[in-house]
Amino acid sequence: MTRRPMEILDQVLNRQPVIVSLKGNREIRGILQGYDVHMNLVLDRAEEMVEGAMQKRGTLIVRGDNVIYISPLVG
Amino acid sequence: MTRRPMEILDQVLNRQPVIVSLKGNREIRGILQGYDVHMNLVLDRAEEMVEGAMQKRGTLIVRGDNVIYISPLVG
Amino acid sequence: MTRRPMEILDQVLNRQPVIVSLKGNREIRGILQGYDVHMNLVLDRAEEMVEGAMQKRGTLIVRGDNVIYISPLVG
Amino acid sequence: MTRRPMEILDQVLNRQPVIVSLKGNREIRGILQGYDVHMNLVLDRAEEMVEGAMQKRGTLIVRGDNVIYISPLVG
Amino acid sequence: MTRRPMEILDQVLNRQPVIVSLKGNREIRGILQGYDVHMNLVLDRAEEMVEGAMQKRGTLIVRGDNVIYISPLVG
Amino acid sequence: MTRRPMEILDQVLNRQPVIVSLKGNREIRGILQGYDVHMNLVLDRAEEMVEGAMQKRGTLIVRGDNVIYISPLVG
Amino acid sequence: MTRRPMEILDQVLNRQPVIVSLKGNREIRGILQGYDVHMNLVLDRAEEMVEGAMQKRGTLIVRGDNVIYISPLVG
């Protein structure tokens, strides 16, 4: 079974949280509510790791060109 | 319910302030008045966080390629 | 009222000065005389902030990909 | 025999692990489950090298513009 | 009067020298002999500022993506 | 005789090794097995220079945007 | 007389050496044998300046996005 990158994003929409690793050593977690072809993301109930602690961010629109990888948390 | 990135921007137009996190550790707040497909933004009554204090910036046109994420403040 | 980024630029053409914040901590002020779709700018009577002092630069063509934001000065 | 880059990716789909070297001195290993024209990758059973030790990451969608090279492990 | 960026370049072709500010704190002066849509430039009788002194460079083809701004010297 | 960049790559396919200089001070050698329009490369029997010593890498798919230059070794 | 960037490259093909200034403070000299629309270059009998000394590099294919400027040596 092969799976294209965008299929994985479809499978986790509104499901388990994803970890988004961003350039500049930033890491965000949240529920993926949407995305587009540029890998721009909508994350709901987002939290950002800041100096080892999670800070709540609410809803985030992340610009895709900052993304290193997206990892669905195992449920 | 899935929501595309640009839909979120539509929902907050001329409503509650948004926080815009920019590359280079810059952060701006303001009322979103408009945007385009490049995620270029118009922010009204904008303020920029400079060394821990908010400085007024009036109206700003932010070039989209600087954006890391946009976060609507919860009303 | 929503306003697209390029509309704001139209409104300030040949009017009050704009502040242009550039990547690499550079800041330029001047009268916007023109622009194009890449956000390349023509600034007249431009000045650049260098070590806290404004230096005159005359007319400048600024390449758009250096721009962080553009802010019209309140008249 | 000449082989185009995307052919190599086809040959290792769901087979032996690949090492993915990323910008910023990051290295990830996993089973390649899919990719697209931007070299966005789906890696299954992924692990990331962090300070000399491998950490499990589950499934990863890696954005292609971070990739330096991809190397199939010899089986 | 509004003036598009490329019009300014047309006006200074083969006339007064221009200062070209480049990324990485480099500065070049010369007579603009030509340009294209990428803002690639041909500079004749070019000089580069190196540690405070101007060094002659002859003819230069500058790749546009290095340009921060171009400033015609007032004649 | 003029030779376009891609012609040189054609001439060395499956022949003498090439040196590939990458951004970030990395250097790889190998037999070029293929390439595409983005200068993505397939290198066979690749080796990477790490702290002055060559380490074997097997087959590599190098993403073109990391390449500074490619140099065929003189046979 | 105005001259487009690519015309200058045509004029020096297989003639006098050119100096190619690259991002990251690298400098290469060689005979220009070809180029394409991305400013990818073929340099023959190339030499690279390394710590003040010229090292022979043979034929090089330089990826255009590394180029700052190209300067034909005066014959």
Side-chain angles (χ1 to χ4, degrees):
Chain A
M1 182 187 63
T2 67
R3 303 190 293 175
R4 295 208 155 254
M6 296 303 171
E7 285 176 59
I8 306 288
L9 295 182
D10 269 346
Q11 289 170 11
V12 298
L13 273 176
N14 291 307
R15 288 173 166 269
Q16 79 267 42
V18 295
I19 297 173
V20 183
S21 174
L22 298 179
K23 290 169 187 169
N25 274 320
R26 297 177 79 155
E27 186 182 304
I28 291 171
R29 296 181 185 212
I31 306 292
L32 187 69
Q33 281 203 328
Y35 64 90
D36 63 23
V37 292
H38 305 292
M39 226 183 258
N40 296 326
L41 308 173
V42 179
L43 294 172
D44 195 34
R45 278 172 277 161
E47 297 178 303
E48 183 169 2
M49 180 71 81
V50 179
E51 294 170 10
M54 298 306 285
Q55 293 189 354
K56 289 184 192 303
R57 291 281 184 265
T59 300
L60 290 184
I61 299 138
V62 178
R63 202 172 190 268
D65 72 330
N66 300 287
V67 172
I68 298 177
Y69 62 69
I70 302 166
S71 176
L73 283 174
V74 181
Chain B
M1 181 187 65
T2 68
R3 303 190 293 176
R4 295 208 154 255
M6 296 304 172
E7 285 176 57
I8 306 288
L9 296 182
D10 269 347
Q11 289 170 9
V12 298
L13 273 176
N14 291 308
R15 289 174 165 267
Q16 79 267 43
V18 296
I19 298 173
V20 183
S21 174
L22 299 179
K23 290 168 188 169
N25 274 320
R26 298 176 79 156
E27 186 183 303
I28 291 172
R29 297 181 186 212
I31 306 292
L32 187 69
Q33 281 203 329
Y35 64 90
D36 63 22
V37 292
H38 305 293
M39 228 184 256
N40 296 326
L41 307 174
V42 178
L43 294 172
D44 195 34
R45 278 171 278 160
E47 297 179 301
E48 183 170 2
M49 180 71 81
V50 179
E51 294 170 11
M54 299 306 285
Q55 293 189 355
K56 290 185 191 302
R57 291 280 183 268
T59 300
L60 290 184
I61 299 138
V62 178
R63 202 171 190 269
D65 72 330
N66 299 288
V67 172
I68 297 177
Y69 62 69
I70 301 167
S71 177
L73 282 174
V74 181
Chain C
M1 180 187 64
T2 67
R3 304 191 292 176
R4 297 208 154 254
M6 296 304 173
E7 285 176 57
I8 306 288
L9 296 182
D10 269 348
Q11 289 170 10
V12 298
L13 273 176
N14 290 308
R15 289 175 165 268
Q16 80 268 41
V18 295
I19 297 174
V20 183
S21 174
L22 299 179
K23 290 169 188 169
N25 275 319
R26 297 177 79 155
E27 185 183 304
I28 292 172
R29 297 181 185 211
I31 305 292
L32 187 69
Q33 281 203 329
Y35 63 90
D36 62 23
V37 292
H38 306 292
M39 228 185 258
N40 296 325
L41 307 174
V42 179
L43 294 172
D44 195 34
R45 278 171 278 160
E47 297 179 301
E48 184 170 1
M49 179 71 81
V50 180
E51 295 170 9
M54 299 305 285
Q55 293 189 355
K56 289 186 191 302
R57 290 280 184 268
T59 300
L60 290 185
I61 299 138
V62 178
R63 201 170 190 269
D65 71 331
N66 299 288
V67 172
I68 298 177
Y69 62 69
I70 302 166
S71 177
L73 281 175
V74 181
Chain D
M1 180 187 63
T2 68
R3 303 189 294 174
R4 296 208 153 253
M6 297 303 171
E7 284 176 57
I8 306 288
L9 295 182
D10 269 347
Q11 289 170 11
V12 298
L13 273 176
N14 291 308
R15 287 173 167 268
Q16 79 268 40
V18 295
I19 297 173
V20 183
S21 174
L22 298 179
K23 289 168 188 170
N25 273 321
R26 297 176 79 155
E27 185 182 304
I28 292 172
R29 298 182 184 209
I31 305 292
L32 187 69
Q33 281 203 328
Y35 64 90
D36 63 23
V37 292
H38 306 291
M39 226 183 258
N40 296 326
L41 307 173
V42 179
L43 293 172
D44 194 35
R45 278 171 277 161
E47 297 177 303
E48 183 169 2
M49 180 71 80
V50 179
E51 294 170 10
M54 298 307 285
Q55 293 189 355
K56 288 185 192 303
R57 290 281 184 266
T59 300
L60 290 184
I61 299 138
V62 178
R63 202 171 190 267
D65 72 331
N66 300 287
V67 172
I68 299 177
Y69 62 69
I70 302 166
S71 176
L73 282 174
V74 181
Chain E
M1 180 188 63
T2 67
R3 303 190 294 175
R4 297 210 153 254
M6 296 304 172
E7 284 176 57
I8 307 286
L9 296 181
D10 270 347
Q11 289 170 9
V12 298
L13 274 175
N14 291 307
R15 290 175 165 268
Q16 79 267 42
V18 295
I19 296 173
V20 183
S21 173
L22 298 179
K23 290 169 188 169
N25 274 320
R26 297 177 78 155
E27 186 183 303
I28 292 171
R29 297 181 186 212
I31 306 293
L32 187 69
Q33 282 203 328
Y35 64 90
D36 62 23
V37 291
H38 305 293
M39 227 183 257
N40 296 325
L41 307 173
V42 179
L43 294 172
D44 195 33
R45 280 171 277 161
E47 297 178 302
E48 183 169 1
M49 179 71 80
V50 179
E51 295 170 8
M54 299 305 285
Q55 293 189 355
K56 290 185 190 303
R57 290 281 184 267
T59 300
L60 289 185
I61 300 137
V62 178
R63 202 172 190 268
D65 72 331
N66 299 288
V67 173
I68 298 177
Y69 62 69
I70 302 166
S71 176
L73 282 174
V74 182
Chain F
M1 179 188 62
T2 67
R3 302 190 294 175
R4 296 209 154 252
M6 297 304 171
E7 284 176 58
I8 306 288
L9 295 182
D10 269 348
Q11 289 170 9
V12 297
L13 273 176
N14 291 308
R15 288 174 166 267
Q16 80 268 40
V18 295
I19 297 173
V20 182
S21 174
L22 298 180
K23 290 168 188 169
N25 274 320
R26 297 176 78 156
E27 185 183 304
I28 292 171
R29 298 182 183 210
I31 305 293
L32 187 70
Q33 281 204 328
Y35 64 90
D36 62 23
V37 291
H38 305 292
M39 226 183 259
N40 296 326
L41 307 174
V42 178
L43 294 172
D44 194 34
R45 278 171 279 160
E47 296 178 302
E48 182 170 3
M49 180 71 79
V50 179
E51 295 170 10
M54 298 306 284
Q55 293 189 355
K56 290 185 191 301
R57 291 281 184 266
T59 300
L60 290 185
I61 300 138
V62 178
R63 203 171 189 266
D65 71 332
N66 300 287
V67 172
I68 298 177
Y69 62 69
I70 302 166
S71 176
L73 283 174
V74 181
Chain G
M1 179 188 62
T2 67
R3 303 190 294 175
R4 297 209 154 254
M6 297 303 172
E7 284 176 59
I8 307 287
L9 296 182
D10 269 348
Q11 289 170 10
V12 298
L13 275 176
N14 292 307
R15 289 175 166 268
Q16 79 267 41
V18 295
I19 297 173
V20 183
S21 174
L22 299 179
K23 290 168 188 170
N25 274 320
R26 298 176 78 156
E27 186 183 304
I28 292 171
R29 297 181 185 212
I31 305 293
L32 187 69
Q33 282 203 327
Y35 64 90
D36 62 24
V37 291
H38 306 292
M39 227 183 257
N40 297 325
L41 307 173
V42 179
L43 294 172
D44 195 34
R45 279 171 278 161
E47 296 179 302
E48 182 170 1
M49 181 72 78
V50 180
E51 295 169 10
M54 299 305 284
Q55 292 189 355
K56 289 184 191 301
R57 291 281 183 267
T59 300
L60 290 185
I61 299 138
V62 178
R63 203 172 189 266
D65 71 332
N66 299 286
V67 172
I68 298 176
Y69 62 69
I70 302 166
S71 177
L73 282 174
V74 181

mmCIF file of all heavy atoms in Angstrom, chain A residues 26-61:
data_model
loop_
_atom_site.group_PDB
_atom_site.id
_atom_site.type_symbol
_atom_site.label_atom_id
_atom_site.label_comp_id
_atom_site.label_asym_id
_atom_site.label_seq_id
_atom_site.Cartn_x
_atom_site.Cartn_y
_atom_site.Cartn_z
ATOM 1 N N ARG A 26 10.823 25.107 16.327
ATOM 2 C CA ARG A 26 9.525 25.294 16.973
ATOM 3 C C ARG A 26 8.693 24.037 16.780
ATOM 4 O O ARG A 26 8.800 23.338 15.775
ATOM 5 C CB ARG A 26 8.812 26.509 16.381
ATOM 6 C CG ARG A 26 9.591 27.777 16.643
ATOM 7 C CD ARG A 26 8.964 28.980 16.014
ATOM 8 N NE ARG A 26 7.840 29.497 16.778
ATOM 9 C CZ ARG A 26 7.431 30.750 16.728
ATOM 10 N NH1 ARG A 26 8.055 31.626 15.949
ATOM 11 N NH2 ARG A 26 6.395 31.162 17.428
ATOM 12 N N GLU A 27 7.833 23.735 17.761
ATOM 13 C CA GLU A 27 6.981 22.554 17.678
ATOM 14 C C GLU A 27 5.591 22.909 18.157
ATOM 15 O O GLU A 27 5.418 23.528 19.207
ATOM 16 C CB GLU A 27 7.568 21.435 18.539
ATOM 17 C CG GLU A 27 6.801 20.132 18.386
ATOM 18 C CD GLU A 27 7.346 19.040 19.282
ATOM 19 O OE1 GLU A 27 8.552 18.741 19.180
ATOM 20 O OE2 GLU A 27 6.572 18.511 20.100
ATOM 21 N N ILE A 28 4.583 22.514 17.355
ATOM 22 C CA ILE A 28 3.192 22.826 17.657
ATOM 23 C C ILE A 28 2.393 21.527 17.631
ATOM 24 O O ILE A 28 2.677 20.639 16.821
ATOM 25 C CB ILE A 28 2.647 23.835 16.616
ATOM 26 C CG1 ILE A 28 3.335 25.198 16.824
ATOM 27 C CG2 ILE A 28 1.136 23.988 16.725
ATOM 28 C CD1 ILE A 28 3.041 26.194 15.755
ATOM 29 N N ARG A 29 1.421 21.396 18.516
ATOM 30 C CA ARG A 29 0.482 20.274 18.473
ATOM 31 C C ARG A 29 -0.922 20.796 18.346
ATOM 32 O O ARG A 29 -1.241 21.882 18.830
ATOM 33 C CB ARG A 29 0.557 19.468 19.777
ATOM 34 C CG ARG A 29 1.902 18.833 19.978
ATOM 35 C CD ARG A 29 1.943 18.031 21.250
ATOM 36 N NE ARG A 29 3.300 17.564 21.431
ATOM 37 C CZ ARG A 29 3.626 16.417 22.022
ATOM 38 N NH1 ARG A 29 2.679 15.637 22.510
ATOM 39 N NH2 ARG A 29 4.880 16.050 22.133
ATOM 40 N N GLY A 30 -1.783 20.025 17.701
ATOM 41 C CA GLY A 30 -3.177 20.435 17.596
ATOM 42 C C GLY A 30 -3.957 19.455 16.745
ATOM 43 O O GLY A 30 -3.402 18.483 16.211
ATOM 44 N N ILE A 31 -5.271 19.701 16.642
ATOM 45 C CA ILE A 31 -6.148 18.890 15.797
ATOM 46 C C ILE A 31 -6.169 19.522 14.410
ATOM 47 O O ILE A 31 -6.492 20.705 14.271
ATOM 48 C CB ILE A 31 -7.592 18.876 16.365
ATOM 49 C CG1 ILE A 31 -7.601 18.418 17.833
ATOM 50 C CG2 ILE A 31 -8.503 18.026 15.499
ATOM 51 C CD1 ILE A 31 -7.230 16.977 18.041
ATOM 52 N N LEU A 32 -5.841 18.741 13.394
ATOM 53 C CA LEU A 32 -5.823 19.275 12.028
ATOM 54 C C LEU A 32 -7.249 19.448 11.526
ATOM 55 O O LEU A 32 -8.008 18.482 11.426
ATOM 56 C CB LEU A 32 -5.048 18.325 11.106
ATOM 57 C CG LEU A 32 -4.804 18.842 9.695
ATOM 58 C CD1 LEU A 32 -3.812 20.001 9.703
ATOM 59 C CD2 LEU A 32 -4.296 17.738 8.785
ATOM 60 N N GLN A 33 -7.619 20.693 11.219
ATOM 61 C CA GLN A 33 -8.982 20.960 10.722
ATOM 62 C C GLN A 33 -9.012 21.196 9.224
ATOM 63 O O GLN A 33 -10.075 21.152 8.606
ATOM 64 C CB GLN A 33 -9.553 22.184 11.432
ATOM 65 C CG GLN A 33 -10.053 21.889 12.816
ATOM 66 C CD GLN A 33 -11.074 22.917 13.242
ATOM 67 O OE1 GLN A 33 -11.010 24.073 12.867
ATOM 68 N NE2 GLN A 33 -12.053 22.485 14.022
ATOM 69 N N GLY A 34 -7.859 21.480 8.641
ATOM 70 C CA GLY A 34 -7.843 21.702 7.205
ATOM 71 C C GLY A 34 -6.429 21.972 6.729
ATOM 72 O O GLY A 34 -5.522 22.175 7.526
ATOM 73 N N TYR A 35 -6.274 21.943 5.415
ATOM 74 C CA TYR A 35 -4.970 22.219 4.808
ATOM 75 C C TYR A 35 -5.208 22.574 3.352
ATOM 76 O O TYR A 35 -6.320 22.407 2.835
ATOM 77 C CB TYR A 35 -4.045 20.996 4.936
ATOM 78 C CG TYR A 35 -4.545 19.795 4.179
ATOM 79 C CD1 TYR A 35 -4.163 19.585 2.852
ATOM 80 C CD2 TYR A 35 -5.407 18.887 4.765
ATOM 81 C CE1 TYR A 35 -4.647 18.501 2.138
ATOM 82 C CE2 TYR A 35 -5.888 17.800 4.063
ATOM 83 C CZ TYR A 35 -5.503 17.613 2.741
ATOM 84 O OH TYR A 35 -5.993 16.549 2.039
ATOM 85 N N ASP A 36 -4.184 23.074 2.693
ATOM 86 C CA ASP A 36 -4.307 23.310 1.246
ATOM 87 C C ASP A 36 -3.051 22.796 0.540
ATOM 88 O O ASP A 36 -2.190 22.175 1.179
ATOM 89 C CB ASP A 36 -4.580 24.793 0.953
ATOM 90 C CG ASP A 36 -3.453 25.702 1.396
ATOM 91 O OD1 ASP A 36 -2.303 25.226 1.534
ATOM 92 O OD2 ASP A 36 -3.713 26.899 1.612
ATOM 93 N N VAL A 37 -2.959 23.031 -0.755
ATOM 94 C CA VAL A 37 -1.864 22.456 -1.554
ATOM 95 C C VAL A 37 -0.484 22.962 -1.149
ATOM 96 O O VAL A 37 0.529 22.331 -1.461
ATOM 97 C CB VAL A 37 -2.051 22.728 -3.068
ATOM 98 C CG1 VAL A 37 -3.255 21.935 -3.574
ATOM 99 C CG2 VAL A 37 -2.192 24.203 -3.361
ATOM 100 N N HIS A 38 -0.419 24.117 -0.481
ATOM 101 C CA HIS A 38 0.882 24.644 -0.039
ATOM 102 C C HIS A 38 1.285 24.050 1.306
ATOM 103 O O HIS A 38 2.300 24.418 1.859
ATOM 104 C CB HIS A 38 0.811 26.169 0.100
ATOM 105 C CG HIS A 38 0.347 26.852 -1.140
ATOM 106 N ND1 HIS A 38 1.104 26.882 -2.282
ATOM 107 C CD2 HIS A 38 -0.803 27.513 -1.434
ATOM 108 C CE1 HIS A 38 0.438 27.531 -3.218
ATOM 109 N NE2 HIS A 38 -0.718 27.922 -2.734
ATOM 110 N N MET A 39 0.466 23.140 1.840
ATOM 111 C CA MET A 39 0.650 22.570 3.170
ATOM 112 C C MET A 39 0.407 23.618 4.258
ATOM 113 O O MET A 39 0.862 23.451 5.390
ATOM 114 C CB MET A 39 2.017 21.887 3.317
ATOM 115 C CG MET A 39 1.893 20.515 3.979
ATOM 116 S SD MET A 39 3.485 19.683 4.268
ATOM 117 C CE MET A 39 3.511 18.492 2.930
ATOM 118 N N ASN A 40 -0.278 24.726 3.878
ATOM 119 C CA ASN A 40 -0.820 25.597 4.917
ATOM 120 C C ASN A 40 -1.785 24.759 5.745
ATOM 121 O O ASN A 40 -2.540 23.954 5.195
ATOM 122 C CB ASN A 40 -1.578 26.784 4.296
ATOM 123 C CG ASN A 40 -0.681 27.704 3.484
ATOM 124 O OD1 ASN A 40 0.475 27.902 3.818
ATOM 125 N ND2 ASN A 40 -1.242 28.262 2.412
ATOM 126 N N LEU A 41 -1.769 24.943 7.072
ATOM 127 C CA LEU A 41 -2.536 24.082 7.971
ATOM 128 C C LEU A 41 -3.469 24.911 8.843
ATOM 129 O O LEU A 41 -3.120 26.025 9.238
ATOM 130 C CB LEU A 41 -1.599 23.306 8.896
ATOM 131 C CG LEU A 41 -0.455 22.519 8.269
ATOM 132 C CD1 LEU A 41 0.450 21.960 9.361
ATOM 133 C CD2 LEU A 41 -0.992 21.390 7.390
ATOM 134 N N VAL A 42 -4.629 24.352 9.164
ATOM 135 C CA VAL A 42 -5.460 24.884 10.244
ATOM 136 C C VAL A 42 -5.377 23.898 11.402
ATOM 137 O O VAL A 42 -5.694 22.722 11.250
ATOM 138 C CB VAL A 42 -6.935 25.043 9.823
ATOM 139 C CG1 VAL A 42 -7.750 25.572 11.003
ATOM 140 C CG2 VAL A 42 -7.059 25.961 8.628
ATOM 141 N N LEU A 43 -4.916 24.391 12.554
ATOM 142 C CA LEU A 43 -4.817 23.553 13.745
ATOM 143 C C LEU A 43 -5.751 24.098 14.810
ATOM 144 O O LEU A 43 -5.724 25.289 15.119
ATOM 145 C CB LEU A 43 -3.380 23.546 14.277
ATOM 146 C CG LEU A 43 -2.338 22.884 13.371
ATOM 147 C CD1 LEU A 43 -0.943 23.118 13.915
ATOM 148 C CD2 LEU A 43 -2.612 21.381 13.242
ATOM 149 N N ASP A 44 -6.579 23.230 15.350
ATOM 150 C CA ASP A 44 -7.495 23.638 16.411
ATOM 151 C C ASP A 44 -6.951 23.148 17.748
ATOM 152 O O ASP A 44 -6.211 22.177 17.817
ATOM 153 C CB ASP A 44 -8.879 23.032 16.133
ATOM 154 C CG ASP A 44 -9.939 23.703 16.989
ATOM 155 O OD1 ASP A 44 -9.833 24.910 17.256
ATOM 156 O OD2 ASP A 44 -10.883 22.994 17.401
ATOM 157 N N ARG A 45 -7.330 23.829 18.803
ATOM 158 C CA ARG A 45 -6.825 23.507 20.152
ATOM 159 C C ARG A 45 -5.300 23.326 20.112
ATOM 160 O O ARG A 45 -4.770 22.334 20.619
ATOM 161 C CB ARG A 45 -7.515 22.238 20.673
ATOM 162 C CG ARG A 45 -8.901 22.529 21.268
ATOM 163 C CD ARG A 45 -9.663 21.273 21.604
ATOM 164 N NE ARG A 45 -10.345 20.739 20.424
ATOM 165 C CZ ARG A 45 -10.786 19.492 20.306
ATOM 166 N NH1 ARG A 45 -10.609 18.635 21.296
ATOM 167 N NH2 ARG A 45 -11.391 19.102 19.196
ATOM 168 N N ALA A 46 -4.633 24.276 19.468
ATOM 169 C CA ALA A 46 -3.191 24.159 19.276
ATOM 170 C C ALA A 46 -2.430 24.550 20.538
ATOM 171 O O ALA A 46 -2.886 25.368 21.341
ATOM 172 C CB ALA A 46 -2.751 25.055 18.113
ATOM 173 N N GLU A 47 -1.289 23.921 20.681
ATOM 174 C CA GLU A 47 -0.373 24.235 21.769
ATOM 175 C C GLU A 47 1.025 24.323 21.172
ATOM 176 O O GLU A 47 1.369 23.575 20.264
ATOM 177 C CB GLU A 47 -0.384 23.131 22.827
ATOM 178 C CG GLU A 47 -1.705 22.950 23.523
ATOM 179 C CD GLU A 47 -1.646 21.809 24.534
ATOM 180 O OE1 GLU A 47 -1.308 20.675 24.127
ATOM 181 O OE2 GLU A 47 -1.916 22.070 25.709
ATOM 182 N N GLU A 48 1.819 25.245 21.710
ATOM 183 C CA GLU A 48 3.196 25.373 21.236
ATOM 184 C C GLU A 48 4.145 25.061 22.378
ATOM 185 O O GLU A 48 3.952 25.510 23.502
ATOM 186 C CB GLU A 48 3.453 26.791 20.712
ATOM 187 C CG GLU A 48 4.868 26.923 20.147
ATOM 188 C CD GLU A 48 5.106 28.215 19.382
ATOM 189 O OE1 GLU A 48 4.173 29.050 19.313
ATOM 190 O OE2 GLU A 48 6.213 28.388 18.850
ATOM 191 N N MET A 49 5.160 24.283 22.062
ATOM 192 C CA MET A 49 6.201 23.956 23.033
ATOM 193 C C MET A 49 7.113 25.171 23.165
ATOM 194 O O MET A 49 7.746 25.582 22.189
ATOM 195 C CB MET A 49 6.992 22.751 22.508
ATOM 196 C CG MET A 49 8.107 22.286 23.389
ATOM 197 S SD MET A 49 7.529 21.484 24.905
ATOM 198 C CE MET A 49 7.164 19.822 24.280
ATOM 199 N N VAL A 50 7.147 25.796 24.338
ATOM 200 C CA VAL A 50 8.019 26.943 24.585
ATOM 201 C C VAL A 50 8.870 26.643 25.817
ATOM 202 O O VAL A 50 8.342 26.504 26.921
ATOM 203 C CB VAL A 50 7.207 28.243 24.794
ATOM 204 C CG1 VAL A 50 8.155 29.425 25.074
ATOM 205 C CG2 VAL A 50 6.357 28.537 23.577
ATOM 206 N N GLU A 51 10.137 26.542 25.631
ATOM 207 C CA GLU A 51 11.073 26.233 26.727
ATOM 208 C C GLU A 51 10.588 25.053 27.558
ATOM 209 O O GLU A 51 10.528 25.130 28.794
ATOM 210 C CB GLU A 51 11.286 27.469 27.604
ATOM 211 C CG GLU A 51 12.002 28.578 26.820
ATOM 212 C CD GLU A 51 12.008 29.891 27.573
ATOM 213 O OE1 GLU A 51 11.643 29.886 28.749
ATOM 214 O OE2 GLU A 51 12.388 30.904 26.962
ATOM 215 N N GLY A 52 10.188 23.983 26.863
ATOM 216 C CA GLY A 52 9.852 22.741 27.550
ATOM 217 C C GLY A 52 8.429 22.642 28.078
ATOM 218 O O GLY A 52 8.009 21.577 28.525
ATOM 219 N N ALA A 53 7.657 23.740 28.010
ATOM 220 C CA ALA A 53 6.269 23.698 28.486
ATOM 221 C C ALA A 53 5.313 23.982 27.325
ATOM 222 O O ALA A 53 5.652 24.714 26.397
ATOM 223 C CB ALA A 53 6.071 24.724 29.596
ATOM 224 N N MET A 54 4.101 23.375 27.347
ATOM 225 C CA MET A 54 3.117 23.602 26.298
ATOM 226 C C MET A 54 2.297 24.859 26.636
ATOM 227 O O MET A 54 1.739 24.958 27.727
ATOM 228 C CB MET A 54 2.178 22.396 26.185
ATOM 229 C CG MET A 54 2.865 21.083 25.808
ATOM 230 S SD MET A 54 3.877 21.171 24.286
ATOM 231 C CE MET A 54 2.599 21.196 23.017
ATOM 232 N N GLN A 55 2.203 25.785 25.676
ATOM 233 C CA GLN A 55 1.367 26.981 25.853
ATOM 234 C C GLN A 55 0.190 26.905 24.894
ATOM 235 O O GLN A 55 0.364 26.609 23.723
ATOM 236 C CB GLN A 55 2.184 28.243 25.566
ATOM 237 C CG GLN A 55 3.287 28.495 26.577
ATOM 238 C CD GLN A 55 3.945 29.861 26.391
ATOM 239 O OE1 GLN A 55 3.642 30.574 25.439
ATOM 240 N NE2 GLN A 55 4.851 30.208 27.296
ATOM 241 N N LYS A 56 -1.015 27.210 25.382
ATOM 242 C CA LYS A 56 -2.208 27.123 24.536
ATOM 243 C C LYS A 56 -2.204 28.247 23.494
ATOM 244 O O LYS A 56 -1.840 29.372 23.782
ATOM 245 C CB LYS A 56 -3.469 27.218 25.405
ATOM 246 C CG LYS A 56 -3.704 25.971 26.261
ATOM 247 C CD LYS A 56 -5.019 26.063 27.024
ATOM 248 C CE LYS A 56 -5.097 24.962 28.074
ATOM 249 N NZ LYS A 56 -4.954 23.596 27.509
ATOM 250 N N ARG A 57 -2.628 27.910 22.270
ATOM 251 C CA ARG A 57 -2.633 28.882 21.177
ATOM 252 C C ARG A 57 -4.005 28.994 20.503
ATOM 253 O O ARG A 57 -4.160 29.777 19.576
ATOM 254 C CB ARG A 57 -1.612 28.487 20.102
ATOM 255 C CG ARG A 57 -0.159 28.616 20.511
ATOM 256 C CD ARG A 57 0.303 30.076 20.442
ATOM 257 N NE ARG A 57 1.720 30.209 20.746
ATOM 258 C CZ ARG A 57 2.182 30.512 21.971
ATOM 259 N NH1 ARG A 57 1.354 30.704 22.973
ATOM 260 N NH2 ARG A 57 3.476 30.632 22.175
ATOM 261 N N GLY A 58 -4.971 28.190 20.906
ATOM 262 C CA GLY A 58 -6.286 28.247 20.257
ATOM 263 C C GLY A 58 -6.217 27.724 18.836
ATOM 264 O O GLY A 58 -5.635 26.673 18.562
ATOM 265 N N THR A 59 -6.801 28.447 17.896
ATOM 266 C CA THR A 59 -6.766 28.068 16.484
ATOM 267 C C THR A 59 -5.571 28.736 15.807
ATOM 268 O O THR A 59 -5.312 29.910 16.043
ATOM 269 C CB THR A 59 -8.058 28.522 15.779
ATOM 270 O OG1 THR A 59 -9.171 27.895 16.423
ATOM 271 C CG2 THR A 59 -8.048 28.136 14.308
ATOM 272 N N LEU A 60 -4.853 27.982 14.999
ATOM 273 C CA LEU A 60 -3.696 28.527 14.281
ATOM 274 C C LEU A 60 -3.812 28.238 12.796
ATOM 275 O O LEU A 60 -4.195 27.139 12.397
ATOM 276 C CB LEU A 60 -2.388 27.882 14.760
ATOM 277 C CG LEU A 60 -1.839 28.177 16.145
ATOM 278 C CD1 LEU A 60 -0.478 27.490 16.306
ATOM 279 C CD2 LEU A 60 -1.685 29.663 16.363
ATOM 280 N N ILE A 61 -3.446 29.231 12.001
ATOM 281 C CA ILE A 61 -3.204 28.999 10.573
ATOM 282 C C ILE A 61 -1.697 29.040 10.392
ATOM 283 O O ILE A 61 -1.063 30.086 10.542
ATOM 284 C CB ILE A 61 -3.864 30.095 9.723
ATOM 285 C CG1 ILE A 61 -5.367 30.078 9.962
ATOM 286 C CG2 ILE A 61 -3.559 29.897 8.243
ATOM 287 C CD1 ILE A 61 -5.946 31.458 10.097
#
